[in-house]
Amino acid sequence: MSDSSRDTAEGAGWGSAGRGAYRALMPQRTEKLSWLSPRTLWAARNGVLASWFGDPTGRTRGRWVARRTADGAPADKVIRRDDPDRFSFLVIGDTGEGDDPQYAVVPGLLKAGQDTRFAVLASDVIYPVGSADDYGTKFFRPYRDYPAPIYAIPGNHDWYEDLGGFMRVFCDDAPPLPPEPVPRPLTPAWLRSLLWHRPRPDDGRHLDEARELRSAPAQQAAQPGPYWAIDAGPVRIIGIDTGLLGTVDAEQGAWLREVSRGPRPKILVTGSPLYVDGEHHPCPMEGGGTVDDLVRDPDHHYVAAIGGDIHNYQRYPVDVDGRTVQYVVAGGGGAFMHATHTIPRVSVAGVDERDFRCYPLRGDSLAFYSRLYGRRLRLRRFFTLTEAEATAVITERLGIRPARAPGTAARVTRRTRLVAGLLGTGRRPDRGKRFRLPVRKIYTQLFSPSSATYDPPFFKCFLRLDVAPDAVRLRCYAATGNRAQELDPPVEDEVTIPLV
């Protein structure tokens, strides 16, 4: 097994010679998606409109689900598979930008997942707006050689065109929904409808051609809707759709309560992680209660909750009345990397730095961002930190032991402290309380890499879960984009989760 980022800087991808062969999988021409482009931001405006004028996601989802049920999908939305008591599956989150980082994940995923029974895409299958025309290069082509079915839950970006592309691909629901009645003039709903982004009339004209890339019978999977449950071997995997704003509507909430009952061990997959960046986000449900209330209920027997949306890996082993529930962020499947160096020293729900895990390591994240902004601002000599310098300043600011000992001794200087501060590096909870939260939000939401063309290491990842009658082994595999780690992907984190 190759070194991981916790072992050596080379295991993280620093200084590795040779980009991987993944580019041979890519189309000759790829569109570069930039989140700094006004055109992209305008196309992805529906989330903002929903927060201002009311969120129509629940009503639209209900119409999709009603159609699927009328067409013969099981009313309980349970997919009953014939997997044995011992089997494996993959989880990949936030994949579809269609550029180098997404395709760099593929060789290692195919190698580590060659004997898995199926895969689950956890949030944001297609960027920027879930268009059906983007599925060719951002779903069917990258995963054409994965031999098993792929199930998915949508993220907020898949909802930016009212879920039409997602339903056509994963739920065999080709016709668009009929238009709803025009709201009364000068109401919030009318303003929202006036500005709402909708798909082009000819969206998906190349979809049938793209489907041929994953046309083998063993690759096919029809799911009952945007949320579902899979009974596989000894576990039930429940996927929920948190829509545009990270909430669950009343109809889906009632279904979730029903399928959560019973002694069968359960794993939740959600587009909105319940613990992330050192904070608890329990996910409200319309009509009262939260998703995490159901996860924490001992009668429901949840053992893990895996969420996408944030483009990195994090794990919080939370003690819930004497049992441990593993809360995982798994959004590193291809989209631009959300920083981990902005995460403050962790102290939430009894989880501290000894138990918390993340990938990339905070020092690697800071070094990555310093290199990126040094190039963007043409201030390489000032901004760029070596991985050793970044690790040293992270250790000082958070008051923690380095996750990886620096290869060479690095001194924390005034420059490294200034760069770390400018790039939003987290702090201890007892320092910078007034300034810490706004800085982290600014740097995670505004100053992300935005899919700029940059070189490896990409710090992407995916999960493999090995299920047995008494336990699930969860492993986080890295994808750096370098040749050294391409076909022998490092294991960045591993935990065994008891089922009994």
Short mmCIF file of all heavy atoms in Angstrom, two decimals, residues 414-434:
data_model
loop_
_atom_site.label_atom_id
_atom_site.label_comp_id
_atom_site.label_asym_id
_atom_site.label_seq_id
_atom_site.Cartn_x
_atom_site.Cartn_y
_atom_site.Cartn_z
N ARG A 414 6.97 35.92 10.31
CA ARG A 414 5.91 36.91 10.18
C ARG A 414 5.18 36.75 8.85
O ARG A 414 3.96 36.89 8.78
CB ARG A 414 6.52 38.32 10.28
CG ARG A 414 5.50 39.45 10.26
CD ARG A 414 6.16 40.80 10.41
NE ARG A 414 6.90 40.87 11.68
CZ ARG A 414 7.64 41.92 12.04
NH1 ARG A 414 7.78 42.94 11.23
NH2 ARG A 414 8.26 41.91 13.20
N ARG A 415 5.91 36.42 7.80
CA ARG A 415 5.28 36.23 6.50
C ARG A 415 4.33 35.04 6.51
O ARG A 415 3.19 35.13 6.01
CB ARG A 415 6.34 36.02 5.41
CG ARG A 415 5.74 35.80 4.01
CD ARG A 415 6.81 35.49 2.99
NE ARG A 415 7.38 34.16 3.16
CZ ARG A 415 6.89 33.07 2.58
NH1 ARG A 415 5.82 33.13 1.79
NH2 ARG A 415 7.46 31.90 2.78
N THR A 416 4.76 33.90 7.05
CA THR A 416 3.88 32.73 7.05
C THR A 416 2.64 32.97 7.90
O THR A 416 1.54 32.53 7.54
CB THR A 416 4.62 31.47 7.54
OG1 THR A 416 5.16 31.72 8.85
CG2 THR A 416 5.76 31.11 6.60
N ARG A 417 2.79 33.70 9.01
CA ARG A 417 1.62 34.02 9.83
C ARG A 417 0.66 34.93 9.06
O ARG A 417 -0.56 34.76 9.13
CB ARG A 417 2.04 34.68 11.13
CG ARG A 417 2.77 33.77 12.11
CD ARG A 417 2.94 34.45 13.46
NE ARG A 417 3.68 33.61 14.37
CZ ARG A 417 4.96 33.79 14.70
NH1 ARG A 417 5.64 34.80 14.16
NH2 ARG A 417 5.56 32.97 15.54
N LEU A 418 1.21 35.90 8.33
CA LEU A 418 0.37 36.83 7.58
C LEU A 418 -0.37 36.12 6.46
O LEU A 418 -1.58 36.31 6.28
CB LEU A 418 1.22 37.96 7.01
CG LEU A 418 0.48 39.03 6.18
CD1 LEU A 418 -0.62 39.68 7.00
CD2 LEU A 418 1.45 40.09 5.66
N VAL A 419 0.33 35.27 5.72
CA VAL A 419 -0.32 34.52 4.64
C VAL A 419 -1.40 33.61 5.19
O VAL A 419 -2.51 33.52 4.64
CB VAL A 419 0.72 33.71 3.84
CG1 VAL A 419 0.04 32.76 2.86
CG2 VAL A 419 1.66 34.65 3.08
N ALA A 420 -1.10 32.93 6.31
CA ALA A 420 -2.10 32.05 6.91
C ALA A 420 -3.35 32.84 7.32
O ALA A 420 -4.48 32.39 7.11
CB ALA A 420 -1.50 31.33 8.12
N GLY A 421 -3.15 34.02 7.88
CA GLY A 421 -4.29 34.84 8.26
C GLY A 421 -5.08 35.33 7.07
O GLY A 421 -6.32 35.31 7.07
N LEU A 422 -4.38 35.75 6.01
CA LEU A 422 -5.07 36.24 4.81
C LEU A 422 -5.88 35.15 4.13
O LEU A 422 -6.92 35.43 3.51
CB LEU A 422 -4.04 36.81 3.82
CG LEU A 422 -3.38 38.13 4.21
CD1 LEU A 422 -2.26 38.46 3.24
CD2 LEU A 422 -4.41 39.26 4.25
N LEU A 423 -5.43 33.90 4.25
CA LEU A 423 -6.13 32.79 3.62
C LEU A 423 -7.12 32.11 4.56
O LEU A 423 -7.61 31.02 4.27
CB LEU A 423 -5.13 31.78 3.08
CG LEU A 423 -4.28 32.29 1.91
CD1 LEU A 423 -3.28 31.23 1.46
CD2 LEU A 423 -5.16 32.71 0.75
N GLY A 424 -7.46 32.77 5.67
CA GLY A 424 -8.57 32.31 6.50
C GLY A 424 -8.29 31.12 7.38
O GLY A 424 -9.21 30.38 7.72
N THR A 425 -7.03 30.91 7.76
CA THR A 425 -6.69 29.74 8.56
C THR A 425 -7.42 29.76 9.90
O THR A 425 -7.52 30.80 10.55
CB THR A 425 -5.18 29.68 8.79
OG1 THR A 425 -4.53 29.69 7.52
CG2 THR A 425 -4.79 28.43 9.55
N GLY A 426 -7.95 28.60 10.31
CA GLY A 426 -8.69 28.49 11.55
C GLY A 426 -7.82 28.75 12.77
O GLY A 426 -6.59 28.82 12.68
N ARG A 427 -8.47 28.89 13.91
CA ARG A 427 -7.77 29.16 15.17
C ARG A 427 -8.37 28.29 16.27
O ARG A 427 -9.35 27.58 16.06
CB ARG A 427 -7.88 30.64 15.54
CG ARG A 427 -7.33 31.59 14.49
CD ARG A 427 -7.57 33.03 14.87
NE ARG A 427 -6.71 33.45 15.95
CZ ARG A 427 -5.51 33.99 15.80
NH1 ARG A 427 -5.02 34.16 14.59
NH2 ARG A 427 -4.79 34.38 16.83
N ARG A 428 -7.78 28.40 17.44
CA ARG A 428 -8.35 27.72 18.60
C ARG A 428 -9.65 28.42 18.99
O ARG A 428 -9.80 29.62 18.80
CB ARG A 428 -7.37 27.76 19.78
CG ARG A 428 -6.09 27.00 19.53
CD ARG A 428 -5.34 26.74 20.83
NE ARG A 428 -4.88 27.96 21.47
CZ ARG A 428 -3.69 28.51 21.26
NH1 ARG A 428 -2.85 27.95 20.41
NH2 ARG A 428 -3.34 29.60 21.89
N PRO A 429 -10.61 27.68 19.57
CA PRO A 429 -11.89 28.29 19.95
C PRO A 429 -11.74 29.44 20.93
O PRO A 429 -12.60 30.32 20.97
CB PRO A 429 -12.67 27.13 20.57
CG PRO A 429 -12.06 25.90 19.98
CD PRO A 429 -10.61 26.22 19.79
N ASP A 430 -10.68 29.44 21.74
CA ASP A 430 -10.52 30.49 22.74
C ASP A 430 -9.79 31.71 22.20
O ASP A 430 -9.48 32.63 22.94
CB ASP A 430 -9.76 29.95 23.96
CG ASP A 430 -8.38 29.40 23.60
OD1 ASP A 430 -8.18 29.05 22.41
OD2 ASP A 430 -7.53 29.31 24.49
N ARG A 431 -9.50 31.73 20.87
CA ARG A 431 -8.81 32.87 20.28
C ARG A 431 -9.58 33.34 19.05
O ARG A 431 -10.06 32.55 18.25
CB ARG A 431 -7.38 32.49 19.88
CG ARG A 431 -6.50 32.13 21.05
CD ARG A 431 -5.12 31.75 20.57
NE ARG A 431 -4.47 32.86 19.86
CZ ARG A 431 -3.33 32.73 19.20
NH1 ARG A 431 -2.73 31.56 19.13
NH2 ARG A 431 -2.80 33.77 18.58
N GLY A 432 -9.69 34.64 18.89
CA GLY A 432 -10.31 35.20 17.71
C GLY A 432 -11.78 34.88 17.58
O GLY A 432 -12.30 34.75 16.48
N LYS A 433 -12.50 34.78 18.72
CA LYS A 433 -13.90 34.38 18.65
C LYS A 433 -14.73 35.36 17.81
O LYS A 433 -15.61 34.97 17.05
CB LYS A 433 -14.49 34.31 20.07
CG LYS A 433 -13.97 33.13 20.87
CD LYS A 433 -14.64 33.09 22.23
CE LYS A 433 -14.13 31.92 23.06
NZ LYS A 433 -14.74 31.88 24.39
N ARG A 434 -14.45 36.64 17.94
CA ARG A 434 -15.25 37.62 17.24
C ARG A 434 -15.02 37.57 15.74
O ARG A 434 -15.91 37.87 14.95
CB ARG A 434 -14.89 39.02 17.78
CG ARG A 434 -15.74 40.12 17.20
CD ARG A 434 -15.36 41.45 17.79
NE ARG A 434 -13.97 41.77 17.52
CZ ARG A 434 -13.37 42.88 17.90
NH1 ARG A 434 -14.05 43.79 18.60
NH2 ARG A 434 -12.11 43.12 17.62
#
